[in-house]
Amino acid sequence: MMMVDSFTKVFLVAVCLSTFSFGSLEDLTRWYYFCSNATTLTGNIVYAANVDQLFSYLSTKATEHDGFFNTTAGQEPNMVYGLFLCRGDARPEICRDCINLAAADVVKLCPNQSWAIIWYNQCMLRYSNRSIFSSMAERPNVSLSYRVDAMEPYRFNRLVATVMKDIATRAPNATSRTKKFSTKEATFNAFQTLYSLAQCTPDISSEDCYRCLQDAIADLQFHLGGKQSGFAMYPSCTAQYQTSPFYSLNQTGLAKPPVSPQHPLLLPPPPPPGKRGISSQTVIKIVVSTVGFLVLSCFLCCVLGWKATKKLTARKTRNDELKAMALQSLRFDLSIIEAATKNFAEVNKIGAGGFGSVYKNLKNKDS
C-alpha cells in the first residue's frame, strides 16, 4: 500500500475551495478540532481515497438536506462513515461554504487519521472508520469562552442556567422534524441581552438529545461560570450563549422561545440554598431592639452601681461613728482616776507593763 500523493490532496482542497462563496468566508471561524493521533492510517491508500470521496459527496449535499447529512464511502474494511451538521439558522450557501472549508482544513490538520471532527461557528464535520450514525456521542468534546467576565456574575449565571435549561428542553422537540434546534434571548440589564442556542444532530433520539445538552450545559456552568460567552461542543450536540447576537433572529420552523421581559431584571439574587432572605424591615426591627436592650442594660447597671456605692458609703460612716463612741466611752477625768486609786497609792498597785502601772479600782459599784 502507498500514501495518497500530494497532487491528490492539493486537487481535493482546490475542488472544495472552488465552490466557496468568498463573500461568506469572513463569517466562518474555526473553533476546534480533534484527530485520532493514536490511530494513523499511513500507507492505506484505499481508506484515504474513501475519505476524499466522502468529503466530495458531503460537499455536494450541503445545500440539499436542510443542514444535516450522513453517508458512507467505500466498502469494508475500509469504509468511511461521515456526517455534517450546519447551524440551524445557517443559509444553504453558508452551510455549503462551511462544509467545504471544514473538509479542506481537516485534510491538512488531520492527514492519514482514522477519524477526525472539526467545529466551525456555522457547522460541524465528522468522519470515522466506525459507524457514528444514530448514536449519541459525548467524546471528544471541548468548552471555550472569550474569557470576558460578566457583571454581577452570580445573577448572570442564574440567568444563563434558566435560559439554557429552557432551550435544552425545547430543542429535542423542535417543530421542524429535520432540526433539533432552539434559540432564546433574555434581557440581563439595560445594556446587555443574553443570546443562547442549543442544537443536536437530528439522527439521535429526543431523549439522547436532551441528555447530551444537559451534559454540555453542565460543562459550561462548571468551566465557564461568570463569563459573558460560552461554547460547549460535543459530537452530537452544541450549547452556546453570548451577550451579543451570533445567530439569525428571524427564523422560521424552529422552536420559538417565549417573549422575554422588556425591562431589566433588577431583582437581587436570592440567598444561597437552605437560607431564607431577611427583609429590610426585619433587619431594622432587630437593630432597634438590640440597641434599646443595650441602652436599658447600661442604665440599669449605672443605677444599681450608684445604689451599691451609696449603701457602702453609709455603712462606712456608721462604723466610724461607732468606733468614735467606743473610744469616747474609755476616757476618764484625772480626778476620777486619782479618787479611784487613792492618788495612785502603792497599796492599790497590782502590777506594771509596757504601757505603765495598773491599779485596782476602789470605787463601789454605785459610783
Side-chain angles (χ1 to χ4, degrees):
M1 307 296 282
M2 55 183 290
M3 295 179 59
V4 179
D5 57 38
S6 299
F7 176 78
T8 303
K9 292 184 178 180
V10 172
F11 177 76
L12 174 63
V13 173
V15 169
C16 291
L17 292 176
S18 67
T19 62
F20 287 169
S21 299
F22 282 96
S24 67
L25 288 182
E26 61 184 15
D27 299 325
L28 301 176
T29 303
R30 185 176 74 230
W31 277 346
Y32 212 84
Y33 69 94
F34 288 98
C35 305
S36 59
N37 292 326
T39 310
T40 59
L41 298 171
T42 303
N44 191 338
I45 189 173
V46 177
Y47 187 82
N50 289 340
V51 171
D52 294 343
Q53 180 184 356
L54 173 74
F55 289 163
S56 177
Y57 194 45
L58 291 177
S59 177
T60 62
K61 300 296 181 180
T63 60
E64 302 176 10
H65 292 273
D66 205 13
F68 175 79
F69 186 68
N70 57 17
T71 188
T72 61
Q75 301 294 324
E76 294 291 358
N78 295 306
M79 181 177 289
V80 186
Y81 302 80
L83 60 83
F84 69 78
L85 175 68
C86 289
R87 204 172 67 192
D89 64 319
R91 300 191 307 274
E93 62 272 18
I94 297 294
C95 180
R96 178 198 61 211
D97 290 350
C98 188
I99 296 306
N100 289 336
L101 183 59
D105 264 0
V106 81
V107 169
K108 297 179 292 183
L109 298 171
C110 303
N112 303 312
Q113 302 294 310
S114 60
W115 64 263
I117 183 170
I118 188 168
W119 289 275
Y120 278 76
N121 60 328
Q122 297 280 357
C123 69
M124 178 269 293
L125 176 67
R126 180 187 180 198
Y127 77 89
S128 176
N129 59 342
R130 299 180 181 180
S131 178
I132 55 175
F133 304 152
S134 302
S135 60
M136 192 265 286
E138 296 184 301
R139 297 289 185 274
N141 63 66
V142 64
S143 298
L144 302 175
S145 172
Y146 291 140
R147 296 295 178 184
V148 179
D149 292 332
M151 296 185 296
E152 301 181 73
Y154 181 76
R155 190 165 69 89
F156 186 79
N157 288 345
R158 283 181 54 224
L159 181 62
V160 170
T162 300
V163 173
M164 297 303 290
K165 179 180 179 181
D166 181 44
I167 60 174
T169 302
R170 290 189 287 106
N173 304 295
T175 55
S176 173
R177 288 178 293 178
T178 57
K179 293 183 179 180
K180 289 182 167 63
F181 177 74
S182 180
T183 62
K184 184 176 181 180
E185 301 83 49
T187 302
F188 178 60
N189 57 35
F191 308 101
Q192 287 186 319
T193 299
L194 179 68
Y195 300 87
S196 57
L197 178 153
Q199 184 173 15
C200 298
T201 56
D203 60 333
I204 63 175
S205 67
S206 296
E207 292 77 12
D208 283 344
C209 176
Y210 178 76
R211 181 158 58 92
C212 183
L213 288 174
Q214 288 295 314
D215 292 342
I217 293 170
D219 275 357
L220 285 178
Q221 294 175 325
F222 181 77
H223 296 291
L224 307 175
K227 303 300 179 183
Q228 288 188 9
S229 63
F231 314 88
M233 290 161 282
Y234 283 49
S236 295
C237 68
T238 302
Q240 306 171 43
Y241 72 86
Q242 200 168 308
T243 53
S244 58
F246 62 95
Y247 52 80
S248 173
L249 300 178
N250 299 316
Q251 306 166 40
T252 58
L254 304 178
K256 294 294 183 181
V259 178
S260 300
Q262 298 301 312
H263 52 80
L265 299 175
L266 298 178
L267 294 175
K275 297 183 179 179
R276 299 183 60 186
I278 301 177
S279 66
S280 57
Q281 293 182 350
T282 303
V283 172
I284 293 173
K285 290 179 180 179
I286 293 175
V287 171
V288 171
S289 300
T290 302
V291 172
F293 174 77
L294 293 176
V295 171
L296 180 60
S297 298
C298 292
F299 176 75
L300 290 176
C301 289
C302 291
V303 171
L304 293 175
W306 176 76
K307 287 186 175 182
T309 302
K310 184 178 180 182
K311 186 175 181 180
L312 182 61
T313 302
R315 182 178 299 174
K316 183 177 179 181
T317 303
R318 178 61 178 169
N319 289 338
D320 291 342
E321 290 176 353
L322 292 175
K323 289 180 180 179
M325 292 175 63
L327 291 174
Q328 186 67 31
S329 65
L330 296 176
R331 294 177 181 177
F332 299 93
D333 290 339
L334 180 59
S335 59
I336 296 175
I337 296 175
E338 288 178 344
T341 60
K342 291 188 177 185
N343 200 23
F344 301 103
E346 286 294 325
V347 294
N348 293 325
K349 186 177 181 179
I350 59 175
F355 293 96
S357 301
V358 180
Y359 294 86
K360 63 182 178 178
N361 183 5
L362 299 179
K363 295 187 71 176
N364 55 44
K365 61 181 180 180
D366 296 326
S367 59

